[in-house]
Amino acid sequence: MSDDPYWNPGRSGEPSGRFSGGDPLVTDTFESWWHASFDVVQRSWRTVGLILLIGVVLPRWVLGAFNNNVRAPETDVEFTDWAEWMREYSPGVAVGVIGAILTLAVLYVSGSAALAAVRTAAAEAAGGFLSLGEAFSFGFKRGGKFFLWLLLAWITIIVGLVLCILPGLWAIFALSLMAPAAVFEAHRSPYGRSIQLTHSAFWPALGRIIIVVMVAIAANLIISLVGLLLAGVWHAIFAPWLAAVLTVLTEAIMALLLLVPMIWILAASLCTYAWLRGRAESVSATSLSAEAAGVAIPTAEPGEPGHPGRPDAPDQSGSTT
């Protein structure tokens, strides 16, 4: 008999046999995971949506508007005239440098916002609350280190896709839990931890993450293509100044539309991480939230997350030993 309120010795489904739906984040079966992800959306869509709107949607809008307007042709060219086409669509060195810096800045801000959103969703699942300032303070505090891991992840994915496609697809799967890993386990590499977790239950994790990745790819692809198509139409029909205005407005609408699937994707990733942690450890929404906050849990058993005597546990001041 366990003191863990979410322990269910009677279940024989997945290897853990634990967490049969009593916790808002830590689940056992695919069905409970699916429902838990939508519960997170229903519970936290306002706060998480606001964080993603400020930290992901707005920077993405700025970057998209910049790219579409800078790379838009100023004169009509024939499709077969490749030399002229390249000259029209080449932004120049200065604009290229600005675009690269802007892209890196967007990646940093978006990564920090993702950490803030995961932290907020976990706190609300545990019955707590984070203000917008507290959430962003948490995200930007860890965002610098996470930004470097994100760069490594993107390089890994791009190299894998270029070399043989399959290694890139594996990298997308294996590195999909970096954000929650960075939120709850600051003492570990989110890069390596994501790989470890996803491979601890390879096939069940693959099934869940395929759904998450497919939703992310479909949403980004459809919305990006519609945005590019409309931007091309505006520049082909209207005067340059009006086309630029319409392109900016189009990018804003497309970015807002992307916010809807983005909230669920974050929720599903959080629940996937909690499910995989729950297979090997006695964790709950409360212990995960306390772990992210860097405080000990007085009721935690020895060896559990949040226990003061655990070697990697943070102390009450929030520092790690």
Side-chain angles (χ1 to χ4, degrees), residues 5-152:
Y6 308 116
W7 176 268
N8 185 7
R11 291 192 66 88
S12 59
E14 294 188 342
S16 63
R18 303 163 59 185
F19 303 104
S20 59
D23 190 87
L25 293 181
V26 185
T27 58
D28 195 13
T29 64
F30 177 86
E31 183 180 2
S32 60
W33 168 84
W34 178 260
H35 290 301
S37 67
F38 283 100
D39 288 342
V40 171
V41 174
Q42 184 177 7
R43 180 172 51 245
S44 304
W45 69 269
R46 294 177 183 84
T47 51
V48 169
L50 182 59
I51 292 171
L52 295 179
L53 174 64
I54 297 173
V56 179
V57 172
L58 290 181
R60 179 189 176 94
W61 170 49
V62 172
L63 180 62
F66 173 82
N67 287 333
N68 281 335
N69 281 296
V70 166
R71 296 180 181 277
E74 297 180 356
T75 60
D76 293 331
V77 296
E78 295 295 332
F79 179 77
T80 55
D81 191 350
W82 292 105
E84 183 66 17
W85 187 90
M86 289 298 295
R87 284 194 295 271
E88 290 295 332
Y89 279 82
S90 178
V93 176
V95 175
V97 171
I98 295 174
I101 295 175
L102 188 60
T103 300
L104 292 176
V106 169
L107 182 62
Y108 166 69
V109 173
S110 299
S112 300
L115 299 183
V118 170
R119 174 72 183 94
T120 298
E124 293 182 350
F129 173 78
L130 259 72
S131 68
L132 189 64
E134 290 172 332
F136 273 109
S137 176
F138 175 89
F140 284 113
K141 182 178 179 180
R142 299 194 182 182
K145 183 183 295 185
F146 186 61
F147 168 73
L148 299 177
W149 288 115
L150 276 180
L151 285 180
L152 179 59

Side-chain angles (χ1 to χ4, degrees), residues 173 198 201-211 275:
F173 158 71
T198 52
F202 186 86
W203 294 112
L206 181 63
R208 289 163 169 82
I209 292 174
I210 281 179
I211 296 175
W275 160 65

Side-chain angles (χ1 to χ4, degrees), residues 178-287:
M178 285 179 57
V183 169
F184 301 112
E185 301 178 84
H187 57 284
R188 292 187 177 184
S189 156
Y191 186 98
R193 182 56 171 157
S194 180
I195 295 175
Q196 181 186 33
L197 285 171
T198 52
H199 286 66
S200 65
F202 186 86
W203 294 112
L206 181 63
R208 289 163 169 82
I209 292 174
I210 281 179
I211 296 175
V212 176
V213 171
M214 290 300 294
V215 170
I217 292 176
N220 278 277
L221 183 62
I222 293 173
I223 292 175
S224 297
L225 287 178
V226 171
L228 287 173
L229 178 62
L230 290 176
V233 172
W234 305 150
H235 284 281
I237 297 177
F238 300 106
W241 69 269
L242 181 57
V245 172
L246 291 175
T247 298
V248 172
L249 293 176
T250 300
E251 285 293 333
I253 296 173
M254 295 300 105
L256 285 174
L257 290 176
L258 190 61
L259 182 62
V260 177
M262 196 183 301
I263 297 173
W264 179 80
I265 290 168
L266 183 138
S269 299
L270 171 59
C271 291
T272 302
Y273 171 87
W275 160 65
L276 289 169
R277 281 284 301 270
R279 287 172 54 87
E281 305 174 49
S282 181
V283 295
S284 66
T286 301
S287 70

